[in-house]
């Protein structure tokens, strides 16, 4: 069975600082991995996805994530945080054709 | 990304009434539709999965007679909460996926409050 662990339910960074949101997964077969962002009272927006191509994936809004098989990780990063990045972020794993399994989410707070 | 709409965005109803939530995929054909609910400060919980023209498959613990799902076309799916009770108050989100695709897109969600 697949599962996702997001380390840190809350992360706080200063504006302009590096953003690092951690995600580890377990999967018996090569996974597809996703990061979604959710703003208050809204649905989820896809940030980026890994589907077995390049291990470094670039997404929208300056975010990127690197798939590391040896570490079973797919951490999300952004070099410089912006106030508008404050939201909740979800990591998810799926296998082709299967449903998504979500992590518990990480709330990102950006301090001015 | 794909454009997904949900209607209504907010609904308040009395206990015992039924509420229908519509989900439309506006620019692609949703072969599969996932319905989620999300409680405050929690992650998304999958309720059911439906393929166009077929009956929905419900997750364990989700009452199929209470949460009626219709997926009659490739662009529209509905979730009806029947005889709603206060414990059904939640944020409901649809998530369509196209055939052969690995990416799920999400609707903006519907906030349901049952009084």
């Amino acid at each position: 069975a697949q599962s996702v662990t997001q380390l840190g339910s809350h992360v706080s960074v200063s504006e302009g600082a590096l953003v690092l949101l951690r995600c580890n997964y377990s999967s018996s077969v090569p996974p597809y991995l996703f990061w979604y962002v959710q703003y208050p009272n809204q649905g989820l927006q896809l940030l980026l996805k890994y589907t077995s191509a390049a291990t470094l994936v670039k997404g929208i809004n300056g975010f990127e994530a690197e798939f590391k098989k040896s570490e079973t990780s797919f951490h999300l990063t952004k070099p410089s945080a912006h106030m508008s990045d404050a939201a909740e972020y979800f990591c998810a794993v799926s296998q082709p054709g299967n449903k998504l399994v979500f992590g518990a989410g990480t709330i990102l707070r950006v301090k001015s | 990304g794909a454009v997904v709409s949900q209607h209504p965005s907010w609904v308040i109803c009395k206990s015992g009434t039924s509420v229908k939530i519509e989900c439309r995929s506006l620019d692609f054909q949703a072969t599969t539709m996932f319905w989620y609910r999300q409680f405050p400060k929690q992650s998304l919980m999958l309720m059911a999965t439906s393929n166009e023209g077929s009956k929905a498959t419900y997750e364990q613990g989700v009452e199929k007679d209470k949460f009626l799902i219709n997926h009659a076309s490739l662009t529209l799916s509905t979730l009806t909460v029947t005889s709603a009770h206060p414990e059904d108050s939640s944020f409901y989100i649809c998530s369509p996926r196209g055939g052969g695709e690995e990416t799920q897109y999400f609707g903006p969600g519907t906030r349901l409050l049952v009084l």
Side-chain angles (χ1 to χ4, degrees):
Chain A
Q2 305 142 294
S3 66
V4 175
T5 301
Q6 290 184 240
L7 294 174
S9 58
H10 291 77
V11 170
S12 183
V13 301
S14 297
E15 190 173 20
L18 171 72
V19 175
L20 171 61
L21 304 182
R22 300 178 186 275
C23 172
N24 288 88
Y25 70 92
S26 68
S27 178
S28 57
V29 298
Y32 289 170
L33 293 159
F34 304 82
W35 274 101
Y36 289 89
V37 60
Q38 184 179 34
Y39 297 98
N41 293 311
Q42 295 186 28
L44 275 65
Q45 180 182 8
L46 179 67
L47 277 178
L48 48 81
K49 61 182 179 182
Y50 166 78
T51 56
S52 75
T55 56
L56 181 62
V57 182
K58 294 186 183 299
I60 61 172
N61 301 340
F63 284 95
E64 62 182 39
E66 186 172 8
F67 171 68
K68 291 187 177 181
K69 184 179 178 180
S70 61
E71 299 177 7
T72 60
S73 69
F74 190 58
H75 302 331
L76 182 71
T77 61
K78 182 174 180 177
S80 177
H82 192 272
M83 296 297 289
S84 61
D85 295 326
E88 187 161 17
Y89 293 79
F90 292 94
C91 182
V93 62
S94 80
Q95 295 179 7
N98 287 2
K99 56 194 176 187
L100 286 175
V101 175
F102 285 93
T106 297
I107 294 174
L108 175 65
R109 179 183 169 221
V110 182
K111 299 175 290 186
S112 59
Chain B
V3 180
V4 183
S5 71
Q6 272 185 248
H7 178 81
S9 56
W10 279 88
V11 58
I12 301 174
C13 69
K14 293 181 179 180
S15 186
T17 60
S18 294
V19 174
K20 179 183 282 189
I21 301 169
E22 291 187 351
C23 175
R24 295 180 185 272
S25 56
L26 301 179
D27 58 355
F28 74 104
Q29 295 183 327
T31 307
T32 304
M33 185 67 74
F34 302 89
W35 283 94
Y36 294 83
R37 65 188 298 183
Q38 185 181 31
F39 292 105
K41 302 186 187 301
Q42 294 188 27
S43 188
L44 280 74
M45 184 190 81
L46 181 64
M47 299 174 66
T49 304
S50 70
N51 292 306
E52 184 262 339
S54 301
K55 288 185 177 180
T57 301
Y58 290 80
E59 296 298 304
Q60 192 172 9
V62 179
E63 299 175 59
K64 64 178 182 180
D65 294 330
K66 181 168 187 60
F67 298 100
L68 302 179
I69 290 172
N70 183 284
H71 189 181
S73 80
L74 290 171
T75 58
L76 172 65
S77 177
T78 61
L79 167 66
T80 301
V81 183
T82 62
S83 186
H85 291 284
E87 58 265 29
D88 299 323
S89 299
S90 189
F91 193 51
Y92 292 88
I93 308 174
C94 67
S95 177
R97 188 176 69 194
E101 293 285 330
E102 72 282 345
T103 301
Q104 283 179 227
Y105 298 96
F106 289 82
T110 297
R111 177 76 60 190
L112 170 63
L113 177 61
V114 184
L115 302 177

